[in-house]
Amino acid sequence: MQTELDLFTPAHGEPQWLGNQVALLPGFALDRVERLLPALREIVLAAPFRNMTTPGGRTISVRVTNCGSLGWISDLRGYRYSPVDPLSGLPWPALPGVFLELARAAAQSAGFDDFVPDACLINSYLPGNRLTLHQDRNERDFSQPIVSVSLGLPATFLLGGHERAERTVRVALQHGDVMVWGGEDRLRFHGILPLKDGRHPLLGARRINFTLRKAG
């Protein structure tokens, strides 16, 4: 069952609490976009976006890449983190300073001090792409939060509970919004509804989302 979240319009970057330890930070990344996008381009040049395969052999529609000392990968052997890009055999691009700076500031704003991510999964959504409900369970330390940054086209985030069957709420995400979840809410199910058609002035007909984690 899905319900609409009744959102007010908070001040820029002021935490909007969606759970005890789930915060939406509206526009929190906007003042860093001019530095985020060139850093993103460098990452994609070194480690291009690609469609990975699930352990069951299904192609994942959302294209992904990574940066940091560990990168999330999926293939017939399962979901896991790897220190090297399987396409090139080389280490993933380093985590840019502006990514780290944003992640730490956002985590602190949501009450998680001293967050130092070592992995960043970058997703590229085209209209029609979606992400089904799932938990982020491949990290070793669930005491560390997830910091999720939205750029480009708007999206609808589904925030569920600790069981797949629990009801979800819909959260509208705009360019520059950041979500942080951790603590008792770290293993909540979440997903993205199919991306609607549109065109963003900076990123065109796509949405870029990157999630920073402590994976190792």
Side-chain angles (χ1 to χ4, degrees), residues 66-87:
N66 294 275
C67 63
S69 58
L70 292 170
W72 183 88
I73 64 173
S74 175
D75 56 25
L76 296 178
R77 294 170 51 199
Y79 304 117
R80 62 195 184 280
Y81 282 94
S82 169
V84 298
D85 180 346
L87 290 185

Side-chain angles (χ1 to χ4, degrees), residues 10-78:
H12 173 78
E14 179 183 336
Q16 180 179 347
W17 295 99
L18 310 179
N20 289 337
Q21 292 184 282
V22 186
L24 169 63
L25 307 176
F28 194 85
L30 287 177
D31 61 355
R32 294 179 172 89
V33 168
E34 289 186 357
R35 291 188 291 148
L36 290 171
L37 292 182
L40 176 63
R41 282 192 287 270
E42 292 299 316
I43 293 166
V44 175
L45 283 173
F49 284 116
R50 77 290 306 265
N51 295 97
M52 293 189 180
T53 303
T54 68
R58 182 179 61 85
T59 298
I60 300 173
S61 63
V62 178
R63 296 185 303 154
V64 304
T65 188
N66 294 275
C67 63
S69 58
L70 292 170
W72 183 88
I73 64 173
S74 175
D75 56 25
L76 296 178
R77 294 170 51 199

Side-chain angles (χ1 to χ4, degrees), residues 21-22 75 83 86 93 103 114 131 161 190 193:
Q21 292 184 282
V22 186
D75 56 25
D114 304 318
L131 196 62
H190 57 281
L193 287 181

Side-chain angles (χ1 to χ4, degrees), residues 7-212:
L7 299 180
F8 59 88
T9 303
H12 173 78
E14 179 183 336
Q16 180 179 347
W17 295 99
L18 310 179
N20 289 337
Q21 292 184 282
V22 186
L24 169 63
L25 307 176
F28 194 85
L30 287 177
D31 61 355
R32 294 179 172 89
V33 168
E34 289 186 357
R35 291 188 291 148
L36 290 171
L37 292 182
L40 176 63
R41 282 192 287 270
E42 292 299 316
I43 293 166
V44 175
L45 283 173
F49 284 116
R50 77 290 306 265
N51 295 97
M52 293 189 180
T53 303
T54 68
R58 182 179 61 85
T59 298
I60 300 173
S61 63
V62 178
R63 296 185 303 154
V64 304
T65 188
N66 294 275
C67 63
S69 58
L70 292 170
W72 183 88
I73 64 173
S74 175
D75 56 25
L76 296 178
R77 294 170 51 199
Y79 304 117
R80 62 195 184 280
Y81 282 94
S82 169
V84 298
D85 180 346
L87 290 185
S88 67
L90 299 174
W92 296 103
L95 190 67
V98 64
F99 281 39
L100 178 60
E101 171 191 308
L102 173 59
R104 298 189 71 173
Q108 188 171 36
S109 292
F112 298 98
D113 295 330
D114 304 318
F115 176 52
V116 183
D118 59 6
C120 178
L121 171 64
I122 307 169
N123 293 334
S124 176
Y125 292 81
L126 297 177
N129 288 169
R130 61 176 297 185
L131 196 62
T132 57
L133 284 176
H134 66 284
Q135 295 171 301
D136 291 334
R137 300 191 64 94
N138 299 124
E139 299 76 28
R140 292 184 180 179
D141 185 357
F142 294 155
S143 72
Q144 297 296 309
I146 301 288
V147 174
S148 178
V149 181
S150 292
L151 299 173
L153 289 177
T156 301
F157 182 86
L158 295 179
L159 178 65
H162 287 86
E163 301 293 335
R164 188 181 298 275
E166 291 184 50
R167 71 175 185 174
T168 62
V169 294
R170 299 183 179 191
V171 184
L173 296 178
Q174 304 295 328
H175 176 70
D177 288 352
V178 179
M179 283 194 65
V180 182
W181 64 94
E184 67 184 80
D185 293 312
R186 171 61 176 75
L187 292 177
R188 287 176 68 158
F189 279 86
H190 57 281
I192 293 286
L193 287 181
L195 193 69
K196 294 182 179 179
D197 286 327
R199 188 163 191 86
H200 188 270
L202 291 178
L203 290 170
R206 62 177 170 170
R207 171 183 185 250
I208 298 293
N209 167 248
F210 55 92
T211 53
L212 297 116

